[in-house]
Amino acid sequence: EQAFFINNVRPILSMSCFRCHGDSTANGNFNMPTTDNVILYQNSKARVTPRVPADSLLLKKGKGDNHRGGAILSPAQQVTISDWINMIQ
């Protein structure tokens, strides 16, 4: 599950989220470190409800729910993040 995150979810976050939530910006009290995969993984995992993508803040924000700007994820990107959330124990 962590390898799936690094290989599939991290590129989505990098492309869509780091601009506002990267190392030096951290908008919305959510930091996504751009260089430390372990901390990025842990911070992202803290924003999800394991096996319940619909209740997961990370996915809700990516879909544009209560999001104050930035990128809205494509349907394919949303599926990738949902797949990862469904893997979390």
Side-chain angles (χ1 to χ4, degrees), residues 5 10 15 17 27 33-34 49 58-59 61 67-68 73 75:
F5 175 85
R10 186 192 191 287
M15 184 174 48
C17 307
N27 288 339
T34 59
T49 304
L58 185 68
L59 186 58
K61 295 291 187 177
H67 194 242
R68 294 187 192 123
L73 302 179

Side-chain angles (χ1 to χ4, degrees), residues 4-69:
F4 185 89
F5 175 85
I6 300 293
N7 293 323
N8 299 287
V9 176
R10 186 192 191 287
I12 294 169
L13 300 179
S14 176
M15 184 174 48
S16 302
C17 307
F18 285 2
R19 183 181 54 142
C20 296
H21 298 284
D23 292 314
S24 62
T25 50
N27 288 339
N29 203 24
F30 183 37
N31 183 15
M32 294 182 167
T34 59
T35 57
D36 190 327
N37 283 335
V38 173
I39 293 174
L40 174 62
Y41 169 76
Q42 291 170 341
N43 286 358
S44 299
K45 193 172 174 181
R47 298 292 198 272
V48 302
T49 304
R51 298 186 178 232
V52 189
D55 289 346
S56 298
L57 183 60
L58 185 68
L59 186 58
K60 286 180 180 180
K61 295 291 187 177
K63 288 181 171 184
D65 296 350
N66 199 22
H67 194 242
R68 294 187 192 123

